[in-house]
Structures are given as C-alpha cells and as structure tokens.
Amino acid sequence: MIDPGVALEDGPADVVRNGGRRFHLALAGVTLGAFLLRLSTLANIASRNPDGGDPYYYHVQANFLVNGHGFSDPFIWRESHEMVPSAIHPPLYSLWLAIPSLFGQGGYTAHKIMSVLAGALTVAMIGVLARKVAGPRAGIVAAILAAIYPPLWSIDGQLWPEGLFTGLVALACWCAYRAREEPGWRTSAAVGAAVAAAALTRGEAIGLAPLLIVPMILFRHGRPRRREWMDLTVAGLACLAVLTPWTIRNVTTFEHFVPLSTNSDEVWVYANNPYAYGTEAGGDYLGFWYFPWQEQLRDERQAQLGDERREPPGDASEKARYWREEGVAYAKEHRNRLPIVVAARVGRAWNVYAPFQNARFDQIDGKRLWVSQLGVFAWWGALALAVPGAWLLRRRGVTIIPFVALATLVTVTAIYAYGANRFRTPLDMAALVLAAVTIDHLLTRLTRSSAST
C-alpha cells in the first residue's frame, strides 16, 4: 500500500527525511501535550483513589506481583487476607502498573501516572496509524483529536485499562497495514503478536484474529494463495506464542479452561437479569449491566443453603462458570426479551440509545458527569466526520478493513455483554483516524482554493 496524498514523502531522499523529521517532532509535541493534559486530571477529575471495582483490582494486583504473590485476587485478600489465584482480568495492565512498583513506587499516584503515560502513547500510536493510511498531516490531526477527545483522556487517570488497550489495538491495525503492503513472516508475526498483546489487556481483542488478521492477509491482490496461507499461519503462531504463557498459567491453576479471563463467564449474570432486561427499575438499565443482582442471588443461596453456602463453591473458574449458568438460564427463560435487549446493548455501545443516561452511568466508573456529557457530543462529531473519511479512503484505494473490524468488534462485544462507553474505545480510535482523513481532505481543498485566488 502506498500512502496517498503524502506530498512530503514523494520527493528526493532529503525531502523524505525532512518530512519525516517534521512529522515526528510535531507528533512528539502533541504527545507531550496529551500527557500533560492527562496528568492534570490527577489533581481534579481523577483525584479520588478507588476503593473498589476494577481500578482497585489492578492497583493492588500490580503490587502483589512485585511482592511475589502473583495474580491473586485483591478482593478476597481484603476480606480474608488469603492469597487466592485470580483471572478476573487478563494480565497486561496489571503488569504495566507494576513497573513503578518494582522501584518502590507502588502508590496510587505512581500507578495513575503509568496509566496516563499509556494514554499519551496511545495518542502517538493513533497519529502513526493515521499517517499510514492518509499521510503526515492526517497523522498530526488524528493525534490532536485523540489528545483532546474526552472519552479517551478522561479514563486514563481513573486506572482503567482502556487507554493501554486502545493503543495496542491501534498498533495491531498499523501492523496489519504493514503486513498487507510488505508481505512476509516478520510483518505477519508482528500483527499476530500485537493482537495477542491487546487481548492480554482486554479479552475481546482476540476477536481481531478473525476480523482483522485473516482478511488483511488473505485478501491481498496479486499474492500467491500459498504464500498468503503461510503468512496467516505465521501470524497465528505468533499470536499463540504471546498468549500461551498466560493460558498455561490458567490451565495449571483452575479447574475449567480459562484462555484469557473468568470475567467473560461472570459477566453473564450482570448482563442477564430483570434490571438489564428492562423489567425492573423503570427500565433504566435496559441493555446495561446491574451488579447488585449477583448479591441478590447470593442472598437467595444463603437463605436456602445457609451462611456457609452463600458463595458458590470451587476456584475462580468454577465460580465464574456457576454465574454464567445463572445468566444463561435467565436469558433462556426470557428469550422473548432478547431482541429489544440486544438492540439496546448495541444502541448504548454506539451511543444512539439513551446517550445521556450512559453519561450518568459513567459515574459508576468514576467519571465526572460533565465530562461524559461532553464526550457524547465529541463522539457524535467524530462519527459524523468518520463517514466521509471512510469514503475518501475507499476512493483512494486504501482498504478500510481495520476500521470495519473495530466497528464489528465493539458491536459483537455489546451483543455478548452489554453496552457501555468504555467498551467503545477501539471504535473511538477508528472514528478519530477517519475524522482526521476528512479534516485533512478539507484542509487540502482549502489550501488549493486559497492558492488559486
């Protein structure tokens, strides 16, 4: 693939070098600005230290790793001071936060700074991806958009993994374009490894294996079919190689097979209940999740079986399997509600159903209401600009398979689990890149118009 419309990179070698240098300097400046903006949130909207939920889990587990306790469950440790193996989440974000803990800096502030750093690096990666598909100016525009886009900068200081996750997804897309334009085992291995790294941050990224890797490698014009299959095999092996250590740890630790996390099972009970199906609480939680439902089921077990049986028996995988079965049973019994529930989940994921209610629900994740409300308008604006951006790329002969893959991934995740703004960050990234393509095109036309007058 040839980057379209890249005037700075079409000339002699010195022009190419100078153009590349200008791009990297500009991108470094934007990335630094993104880091400082995110860092500033630690003094205001992200000043509160979490005392529960996923952010607490990641923070405590990062310190467990450094102290030799492995991937133990922070919640069980807090309740009983027992170190019990956990796989609620994949390992990479905890490992990322553990870096300052290695040097004795295991407090919330140090971990938040690491999360902020991941968000800033994601801004840079979004710029690099946009440059790949539409040239240097589009890359800088995309980086600027990503730096100031509320749904991205507002999560990093809250100790959520989506900043790191989105950057790795952007890396996977960039590697996919490289594998398409420069076939071979190196680029194929790179895209496989990048997808695996993203999946080790948030498990749903494994869906990019069939959605991104397969079409980007197999559907290349003028490439012998045998070579395509060889490259696809290399990508698959690289993906497996990165995933295998974590999967082996889980296989040797738990009763049931846990390839990435137990949360993919347990989420069924949160997302399939009368609240999430819109028959309780006035329908406010339709298509969303409802955590207290699990507590209600525990209370019922306690009433029926006694205090000692309140929690289902077994290790983390067996407990997660129990809760999945509870969720599946509810879904089967209320299958007549599934069409409207699925539609609401997808609508929430795309922020076209109850968008400002979604903004209120973001407060569960520690966000400020005004930030989430601003994020609704930012998303709508990015999406409006992304549509012509996708059309422009197609007209230039640039494949939009990665962007379609991300849209599909977010939609399928919502159907499987529930609709939430945090789950949309890969699609946010895609929309920002495509919006930058549109803005770059408009700037080009404006420049040409000014030059002709």
Side-chain angles (χ1 to χ4, degrees), residues 263-286:
N263 201 33
S264 59
D265 280 342
E266 194 164 356
V267 71
W268 278 79
V269 76
Y270 305 137
N272 296 276
N273 56 67
Y275 296 90
Y277 276 45
T279 58
E280 294 286 346
D284 285 351
Y285 293 91
L286 177 64

Side-chain angles (χ1 to χ4, degrees), residues 3-12 15-16 19 22 134-137 444 448:
D3 290 347
V6 187
L8 288 175
E9 298 187 3
D10 287 342
V15 176
V16 173
R22 284 196 293 270
R137 185 167 60 186
T444 298
R448 290 174 180 172

Side-chain angles (χ1 to χ4, degrees), residues 96-108:
W96 175 259
L97 296 184
I99 293 174
S101 297
L102 284 170
F103 301 97
Q105 301 298 315
Y108 275 110

Side-chain angles (χ1 to χ4, degrees), residues 90-177:
L92 198 55
Y93 188 62
S94 293
L95 288 168
W96 175 259
L97 296 184
I99 293 174
S101 297
L102 284 170
F103 301 97
Q105 301 298 315
Y108 275 110
T109 299
H111 287 169
K112 287 181 177 182
I113 291 173
M114 282 301 294
S115 193
V116 163
L117 177 60
L121 293 175
T122 293
V123 168
M125 195 64 240
I126 290 173
V128 171
L129 174 60
R131 182 197 192 201
K132 170 60 67 179
V133 299
R137 185 167 60 186
I140 298 303
V141 170
I144 292 172
L145 293 177
I148 63 175
Y149 186 65
L152 291 184
W153 61 255
S154 62
I155 60 175
D156 294 324
Q158 307 281 358
L159 287 180
W160 291 100
E162 279 73 18
L164 179 63
F165 171 60
T166 305
L168 290 171
V169 170
L171 174 63
C173 291
W174 181 83
C175 290
Y177 276 111

Side-chain angles (χ1 to χ4, degrees), residues 301 309 311-315 318-319 322:
R301 278 183 58 88
R309 301 288 298 279
E311 186 74 21
D315 63 24
E318 292 172 295
K319 294 179 190 297
Y322 174 88

